[in-house]
Amino acid sequence: MTAEALTADEPASDAHEQRAFGFWLYLMSDAIIFSLLFATYAVMVQNTDGGPTGKTLFSLPNAFAETMLLLLSSITFGFATLAMRSGDATGVRRWLQVTVVLGLGFVGLEMREFYGLVHRGAGPDRSGFLSAFFTLVGTHGAHVSVGLIWILVMTGQIMVKGLTAPVVSRLGRLGMFWHFLDIIWIGIFSVVYLPGVL
């Protein structure tokens, strides 16, 4: 239902609150999916079938660079949120553009890592460990890619519509999604990469 289609007895603010609640439910279901992927990884991490392990495959500097890019993108998104609250549409667009650049850097590093692993014969079909690794990290990367597309769409909406109530509401949900991905990545860094190389 669009804001224009709201009836007089259903104020726009109620519709935005309902959408925010619905989005929280989506994030909780996504958290369950990631919990299952983490559990699968924990079960499969020793199932290397005589192949390479995380200690021989993972690059801690690369994972750290990915972490820094994603955490910085969360900070820049926070600056976009502050600009939104002060009504500065230009500031919001600029900070969202910086967020996109940082997010693209993250995705680029992840794709380079995946390509390097497959090139070395350590693709997802090599062992249960690598299948679980590619599924967990790849699912997160896919979410980041969707988030980047969403940021671009929102940047376009701000340019066309300005900081209207529906746009601000959507930006709020996008912020929840983006920060959620940061939390998941911290989990991946802590559960996958750190134990894998130590």
Side-chain angles (χ1 to χ4, degrees):
M1 175 184 286
T2 63
E4 294 77 23
L6 293 174
T7 61
D9 58 344
E10 184 181 5
S13 61
D14 289 345
H16 298 316
E17 289 175 10
Q18 290 172 4
R19 290 182 183 123
F21 177 72
F23 197 74
W24 271 110
L25 293 179
Y26 157 72
L27 283 183
M28 293 305 101
S29 67
D30 226 16
I32 292 169
I33 290 170
F34 276 107
S35 297
L36 293 172
L37 292 176
F38 275 111
T40 302
Y41 179 83
V43 169
M44 301 298 285
V45 70
Q46 300 299 326
N47 295 336
T48 60
D49 192 30
T53 64
K55 188 163 189 152
T56 59
L57 293 175
F58 297 157
S59 165
L60 195 55
N62 186 75
F64 182 75
E66 289 177 276
T67 302
M68 289 299 100
L69 285 170
L70 205 57
L71 290 178
L72 284 173
S73 76
S74 188
I75 292 170
T76 57
F77 199 102
F79 286 139
T81 302
L82 291 175
M84 177 189 71
R85 289 182 181 163
S86 66
D88 180 10
T90 302
V92 175
R93 288 199 316 270
R94 285 181 182 157
W95 284 114
L96 288 179
Q97 289 165 358
V98 175
T99 303
V100 167
V101 171
L102 293 169
L104 286 173
F106 172 86
V107 172
L109 285 177
E110 191 166 280
M111 289 176 65
R112 184 183 74 174
E113 178 186 29
F114 280 9
Y115 175 79
L117 291 175
V118 172
H119 187 69
R120 292 165 61 185
D125 58 339
R126 176 63 184 88
S127 66
F129 154 64
L130 286 167
S131 294
F133 167 77
F134 274 90
T135 303
L136 173 58
V137 179
T139 300
H140 179 269
H143 277 69
V144 172
S145 299
V146 169
L148 291 172
I149 294 169
W150 191 359
I151 291 173
L152 293 173
V153 169
M154 291 307 305
T155 302
Q157 287 192 8
I158 294 167
M159 290 175 67
V160 173
K161 300 178 179 181
L163 293 174
T164 61
V167 169
V168 167
S169 176
R170 290 182 203 116
L171 275 172
R173 293 192 293 277
L174 174 55
M176 288 191 292
F177 181 73
W178 198 254
H179 297 308
F180 169 77
L181 295 180
D182 279 353
I183 294 168
I184 297 298
W185 180 256
I186 294 299
I188 290 173
F189 184 77
S190 302
V191 171
V192 175
Y193 288 101
L194 280 179
V197 299
L198 297 177

